[in-house]
Amino acid sequence: MRKILAGAIAAVCLSPVALRAEVIRFDIVERLPAFVGRSFGDVGPYERITARATIALNPSDDRNAVITDLAQAPRSPDGKVEATADVVILRPADPTRGNGTLLLEVPNRGRKLAPQLFDDSSQPGANNAQGPGDAGIGFLHRQGYTMVWVGWQGEIPSKPGQMALTAPVLKGVTGPAREEFVFDTTTSPARATLTWPAADPANLTVTVRAAWADARQTPSGLSARLVDPVTVEITRPDGFDAGALYEITYTARDPVPLGMGFAAVRDVASFLRRDATPANPLLNGLHPSVSRAIGFGVSQSGRFLRDFLHLGFNEDLQGRVVFDGLMPHVAGTRRMATNVRFGQPGRNPRHPQDQAWQADLFPFTYATLSDPISGKTDGLLRRCALSVTCPKVMQTDSEHEWWASHASLLVTDLAGNHLDLPDNVRAYMIAGTPHFADPSDVMRKGQAAMSLPQNPVHAGAPMRALLTDLNAWISDGVPPPASRVPMRAHGTLVAAEGAVRTDIPGLPFNGIHTLAVFSDQSVLPPTEIGRYPVFVPKADDDGMAISGIRQLALAVPRATYTGWNPRAQGFGPTAFYPLQGAAVPFAPTEAARKEVHDPRLSIAERYADDDVYVAAVRREAARQVAERLLLPEDADRAVEAAKQGKLAKLGQ
């Protein structure tokens, strides 16, 4: 093991000539063999580099001026605003064996999730990336990717297991803030954590309502008090169930210019792929060992990438492309409240809360459209098109996003009509999947607030194939498979009423879905101004989405898998349980299904025996491999899982 302290390279890193990006220091804290020396095929072992990157932003540069409050932030003697980002790098120990692609994952609330998704690694190992098992199946490593994570959130602390951005604080600045909480218990009092410190304990109000669309109430017995500047204790009134919605409004203090997080990702990525001085740990001879870059993010971080693109950050400070490819995952058509004063990047409108939050903002899709509600004309690609810095975009979503994050606005105009995606954009819905599942998940009851068994389907197999397709697209110009999403023009994207049959026992469907609401954010609470049309995937006779990428567990099914799961009685049953889908197994025999009036064919009616089932899986796997939606290694794994009765993940 070898460690290099920051001071040992400070002389190199402080040279303003050396660092042409706005990274003024790149301090390596630790450099050592990764995964205890585990080797990955032809690529060999990896090394892990832990570092701190300090950026300095000139507020008068047009590429930085978009950052809210940057001009008001404290400055260094040379007039720039500085921040320091946590950085972790995993790279082949022999850089000549890498594939030349830098895969930068934007951390989700400071955590690494790409290893869970692409490598079937389990947490906390996926976040730690230390022991040999933390690399899971080692897919990314066997492919030779150089993996990078950059802390970008300025409102969370930097600590072990949590990457962040240390950014300047605007001391003494105050302003209004609003937060919502669903406790899913009947405990009283209940505690909640505010995003920002409260400036005045007396200026704190709380309301309650049974559902988001209800009027706010302040009944007898409801009260709130500050335990400390960021902890509020709510005494709960009688007459509301465990899923009631509590809204806190308060005066916040000491904001951070959170938009600096976009600049941190931009500048560190540009530095690592292009800086040709000894300060760059990826330098191999005269040039960095990577020549192209993909930006990847899950959920919150997928929304980050959509805003990163929309705000123009894919152009670096020398006017060059930062990411050749972007892969926002499970972001729907949402953005995030980051580049605003007292922003809350970790907050997302979830059923049944926050539908007036600032993540539901035009533009929703990549093409430029005119919005009749806001009066704006815009698109996610508009700025990069002007600077000729647009990446190839591959947006991937679980089915859950089409129910809970109005993903339909990706492929419809604002009147609800079919909309084609631009040529440099592909979109894929991974049918029958929840927002995010652990690779080891099996069907289980889940939380008490969830009415149906929890959907266990992991999206790793199609995501590995799609990442391979994206890398070929940016490396060799090989176009990826056509988009696989529900579409109005195909009749597979429909109004929620009637989208799923209602006669399947144990699968209650009543058209619940999340709205797309445009609200006036200048007042508290926000006032609704209008709504955009939202559609959902049409289901087949088994209750599963017709369109999208249907993994083998759906294409050769033993159960119905959905992207939605209603809340249980006593927990706000008129809404979805956040982030989850449902799994409802088929009856074993024709007699068993007829006894409960289940219209879905039984297992025995579909497959004469296990050999017939496995043969069907093998045929479907071969078809998906031919369509480049499944890798051969994952086809082999799926066939073996089918033989063992584990492909359906029903816990048998």
Side-chain angles (χ1 to χ4, degrees), residues 491-573:
T492 54
L493 188 61
V494 299
E497 298 76 13
V500 182
R501 64 189 305 167
T502 59
D503 60 346
I504 298 176
L507 193 69
F509 178 78
N510 57 10
I512 296 173
H513 64 291
T514 301
L515 306 174
V517 177
F518 181 77
S519 301
D520 179 1
Q521 298 289 328
S522 67
V523 295
L524 284 184
T527 301
E528 181 178 317
I529 296 175
R531 297 183 180 184
Y532 303 97
V534 175
F535 302 93
V536 301
K538 182 175 178 57
D540 62 15
D541 287 342
D542 288 329
M544 292 187 285
I546 295 171
S547 52
I549 297 175
R550 304 187 86 185
Q551 295 193 73
L552 297 178
L554 277 77
V556 190
R558 302 178 78 90
T560 293
Y561 302 94
T562 74
W564 49 273
N565 195 327
R567 284 177 162 268
Q569 290 296 323
F571 294 88

Side-chain angles (χ1 to χ4, degrees), residues 104-115:
L104 187 150
E105 181 191 9
V106 177
N108 180 303
R109 294 164 178 81
R111 303 165 299 158
K112 308 178 184 81
L113 296 181

Side-chain angles (χ1 to χ4, degrees), residues 149-323:
W149 293 266
V150 179
W152 61 274
Q153 281 189 255
E155 87 288 5
I156 63 174
S158 172
K159 62 183 182 181
Q162 181 170 283
M163 303 179 67
L165 180 78
T166 304
V169 176
L170 279 62
K171 288 288 187 181
V173 173
T174 61
R178 181 182 71 92
E179 312 210 27
E180 294 180 357
F181 303 98
V182 174
F183 297 107
D184 279 339
T185 71
T186 54
T187 302
S188 184
R191 290 193 174 187
T193 301
L194 303 176
T195 305
W196 299 99
D200 181 3
N203 188 11
L204 181 81
T205 62
V206 59
T207 65
V208 64
R209 45 194 159 149
W212 186 83
D214 294 348
R216 295 168 174 83
Q217 300 182 45
T218 55
S220 174
L222 174 65
S223 64
R225 71 176 186 91
L226 282 175
V227 177
D228 58 49
V230 295
T231 305
V232 61
E233 185 176 86
I234 300 174
T235 300
R236 304 171 67 179
D238 295 332
F240 291 88
D241 71 10
L245 176 61
Y246 293 85
E247 182 179 71
I248 298 286
T249 56
Y250 63 104
T251 299
R253 61 175 171 84
D254 302 340
V256 169
L258 296 178
M260 292 186 75
F262 295 113
V265 170
R266 174 196 67 191
D267 293 346
V268 172
S270 182
F271 164 72
L272 290 174
R273 70 175 292 189
R274 291 197 168 96
D275 189 86
T277 73
N280 185 354
L282 299 187
L283 191 68
N284 181 39
L286 299 177
H287 304 284
S289 59
V290 293
S291 58
R292 54 192 170 269
I294 293 173
F296 172 75
V298 177
S299 189
Q300 175 204 43
S301 306
R303 292 183 281 122
F304 174 99
L305 290 177
R306 286 168 52 85
D307 266 8
F308 179 93
L309 181 61
H310 175 245
L311 293 171
F313 284 99
N314 206 47
E315 177 188 8
D316 76 5
L317 294 169
Q318 283 74 49
R320 302 168 301 192
V321 171
V322 177
F323 294 113

Side-chain angles (χ1 to χ4, degrees), residues 336-349:
M336 61 193 325
T338 296
N339 194 36
V340 294
R341 181 173 290 181
F342 294 113
Q344 297 177 34
R347 186 168 163 190
N348 187 35

Side-chain angles (χ1 to χ4, degrees), residues 27-149:
D27 298 330
I28 296 178
V29 178
E30 185 179 62
R31 189 169 192 161
L32 72 167
F35 309 114
V36 198
R38 177 179 169 184
S39 187
F40 300 92
D42 295 337
V43 178
Y46 267 65
E47 68 172 346
R48 188 177 81 241
I49 301 169
T50 304
R52 300 269 289 165
T54 300
I55 63 171
L57 303 182
N58 180 357
S60 64
D61 188 314
D62 287 344
R63 300 178 182 94
N64 297 327
V66 69
I67 299 172
T68 298
D69 285 336
L70 185 66
Q72 284 71 50
R75 304 193 189 192
S76 62
D78 64 355
K80 295 184 178 179
V81 183
E82 297 184 4
T84 302
D86 297 327
V87 180
V88 173
I89 301 171
L90 289 173
R91 63 170 293 183
D94 180 353
T96 64
R97 297 188 179 188
N99 67 1
T101 299
L102 184 153
L103 177 63
L104 187 150
E105 181 191 9
V106 177
N108 180 303
R109 294 164 178 81
R111 303 165 299 158
K112 308 178 184 81
L113 296 181
Q116 269 186 284
L117 190 59
F118 293 114
D119 292 319
D120 289 3
S121 177
S122 294
Q123 293 288 15
N127 196 43
N128 297 335
Q130 293 178 346
D134 292 350
I137 62 174
F139 168 76
L140 294 174
H141 315 78
R142 286 184 281 108
Q143 300 303 310
Y145 286 100
T146 294
M147 291 160 266
V148 177
W149 293 266

